[in-house]
Amino acid sequence: GKVAGKHTVVFFSAAVSATMQRQARLESDLRRALARGEFRLLYQPQVELRTGALTGVEALLRWQHPELGWIAPQDFIPVAEESGLIVPLGAWILQEACRQGARWRAQRGVHPLRVAVNVSALQFGHADFVGVVLRALQTSGLPPELLTLEITESVVIGDLGAVTERIAELKRLGVRLSLDDFGTGYSSLAYLRHLPIDEVKIDKVFLPPLSAPDTSHDTTRARDAAEDRAMVQAIVSLAHALELEVVAEGVEDAAQLAFLRDTGCDGAQGYLFGPPVAAAAVPATRPPPWLP
Ligand code: C2E
Ligand code: CA
Ligand code: CA
Ligand code: CA
């Protein structure tokens, strides 16, 4: 009735205003966080499936808020984008990741690690983005081929021609480009063909746990799993036909790993190989024990 409706409205606006207050707080705190050194990058191993070698890491951002504790990137990156703060924050991320990449290169000699950095659409579209990448490479001394920029399909929301030209400019610097979260957004297979990228990352939503033996009579779940596997196989074969490398994320168990190796997927990342960790905790050069 009307009363319930009224109460619902009151409750709803209170919730909305709490959310807006939190947003406003996060935004003003974000402004100070960079200067106060509250951000950190963690690095998650990426493995070459053919050999089991550790070939790279993905840099993942963390914010330690002085009162709220660790805040997940999903909770503050949208705020950083709306406020434009993603531009200086993104420049810091690139500097920091390249500096660490150059350190690993000095330590590891012939077995350097590639470093993958997530780039938000707003950051990618900023007028000076190519300059920011160039300066991060120059000041760190990281060879450009060891830097991978992970972009999502959301960068293409604007002008496809302009985006293609920007990617081509970045390719001329010598960096690698990866299309992240593939298949989850406003996907167009045409992007794979027309964007001058090097790699596709299959999002973890296509990789549900496979280890539990499927003895259940839950036919819906069995069919969903079969469809997910078909998606992964289709993405891998399409990417290979277009001479792109494929990396699967969210690999958590041995059955998923076996499936990906059978599929011919090139690389993998996930808790099976290791969670995101501080730079000092990234495993050493030797091929780790997870593959025969
Ligand atoms: P993403 O790029 O898809 O990154 C993969 C996410 O999956 C990470 O979450 C990672 O910790 C998590 N993950 C890794 N292995 C597994 C696994 O085996 N199972 C499961 N369930 N999850 C796994 P995280 O670190 O919370 O980052 C979330 C998202 O925030 C990222 O998704 C990315 O879109 C964004 N992000 C993170 N760091 C940055 C950054 O430096 N810049 C920008 N623009 N975005 C970032
Ligand atoms: Ca990513
Ligand atoms: Ca993802
Ligand atoms: Ca992503």
Side-chain angles (χ1 to χ4, degrees), residues 41 44 58-62 72-74 77 81 86 90 93 117-121 123 150 152 180-181 201 203-204 249-252 256 269-272 274-276:
L41 290 180
Q44 185 175 34
E58 178 179 7
L60 293 158
L61 185 63
R62 299 291 181 263
Q74 273 108 337
I77 284 174
E81 285 183 319
I86 192 69
I93 293 166
V117 175
N118 291 285
V119 175
S120 88
Q123 184 189 0
E150 295 193 1
T152 64
D180 201 1
D181 293 345
K201 273 187 100 168
D203 191 75
K204 56 179 175 278
E249 73 171 26
V251 182
E252 295 182 358
Q256 292 171 327
Q269 180 182 342
Y271 299 152
L272 180 66

Side-chain angles (χ1 to χ4, degrees), residues 25-45:
R25 162 142 200 223
L26 286 185
E27 189 182 322
S28 73
D29 290 351
L30 266 176
R31 286 181 197 286
R32 286 176 290 234
L34 198 52
R36 293 182 179 180
E38 292 168 5
F39 292 108
R40 275 181 68 192
L41 290 180
L42 298 185
Y43 298 90
Q44 185 175 34

Side-chain angles (χ1 to χ4, degrees), residues 93-169:
I93 293 166
L94 275 161
Q95 289 280 355
E96 182 69 15
C98 288
R99 221 182 351 243
Q100 182 55 48
R103 249 179 245 139
W104 276 318
R105 180 172 177 256
Q107 290 163 6
R108 291 174 181 248
V110 294
H111 299 288
L113 287 180
R114 284 177 180 162
V115 180
V117 175
N118 291 285
V119 175
S120 88
L122 211 131
Q123 184 189 0
F124 182 86
H126 189 260
D128 191 32
F129 180 64
V130 178
V132 167
V133 173
L134 181 60
R135 285 191 292 281
L137 291 169
Q138 284 174 338
T139 55
S140 64
L142 183 73
E145 65 272 17
L146 294 182
L147 177 64
T148 301
L149 301 176
E150 295 193 1
I151 57 173
T152 64
E153 292 150 322
S154 62
V155 305
V156 194
I157 279 172
D159 173 357
L160 182 58
V163 170
T164 305
E165 178 45 39
R166 173 142 292 191
I167 295 176
E169 237 182 299

Side-chain angles (χ1 to χ4, degrees), residues 55-269:
T55 49
V57 291
E58 178 179 7
L60 293 158
L61 185 63
R62 299 291 181 263
W63 178 18
Q64 183 160 40
H65 188 285
E67 287 113 41
L68 302 174
W70 289 105
I71 304 181
Q74 273 108 337
D75 293 336
F76 67 85
I77 284 174
V79 182
E81 285 183 319
E82 279 158 34
S83 59
L85 283 165
I86 192 69
V87 173
L89 176 57
W92 177 84
I93 293 166
L94 275 161
Q95 289 280 355
E96 182 69 15
C98 288
R99 221 182 351 243
Q100 182 55 48
R103 249 179 245 139
W104 276 318
R105 180 172 177 256
Q107 290 163 6
R108 291 174 181 248
V110 294
H111 299 288
L113 287 180
R114 284 177 180 162
V115 180
V117 175
N118 291 285
V119 175
S120 88
L122 211 131
Q123 184 189 0
F124 182 86
H126 189 260
D128 191 32
F129 180 64
V130 178
V132 167
V133 173
L134 181 60
R135 285 191 292 281
L137 291 169
Q138 284 174 338
T139 55
S140 64
L142 183 73
E145 65 272 17
L146 294 182
L147 177 64
T148 301
L149 301 176
E150 295 193 1
I151 57 173
T152 64
E153 292 150 322
S154 62
V155 305
V156 194
I157 279 172
D159 173 357
L160 182 58
V163 170
T164 305
E165 178 45 39
R166 173 142 292 191
I167 295 176
E169 237 182 299
L170 291 162
K171 297 279 322 154
R172 285 195 289 275
L173 295 184
V175 304
R176 299 176 77 247
L177 267 292
S178 175
L179 194 57
D180 201 1
D181 293 345
F182 186 74
T184 63
Y186 312 91
S187 294
S188 161
L189 292 179
Y191 297 158
L192 277 193
R193 173 126 188 261
H194 293 296
L195 298 176
I197 54 171
D198 304 282
E199 177 188 283
V200 179
K201 273 187 100 168
I202 303 179
D203 191 75
K204 56 179 175 278
V205 299
F206 297 114
L207 219 62
L210 295 172
S211 57
D214 204 19
T215 50
S216 73
H217 296 285
D218 187 341
T219 50
T220 305
R221 190 186 293 169
R223 192 181 61 232
D224 285 351
E227 287 172 356
D228 284 329
R229 282 196 291 273
M231 286 289 292
V232 171
Q233 286 164 332
I235 295 171
V236 169
S237 60
L238 178 64
H240 283 171
L242 298 171
E243 298 184 320
L244 302 171
E245 284 182 38
V246 191
V247 175
E249 73 171 26
V251 182
E252 295 182 358
D253 64 53
Q256 292 171 327
L257 172 61
F259 164 69
L260 290 167
R261 294 185 82 188
D262 289 346
T263 307
C265 187
D266 303 289
Q269 180 182 342

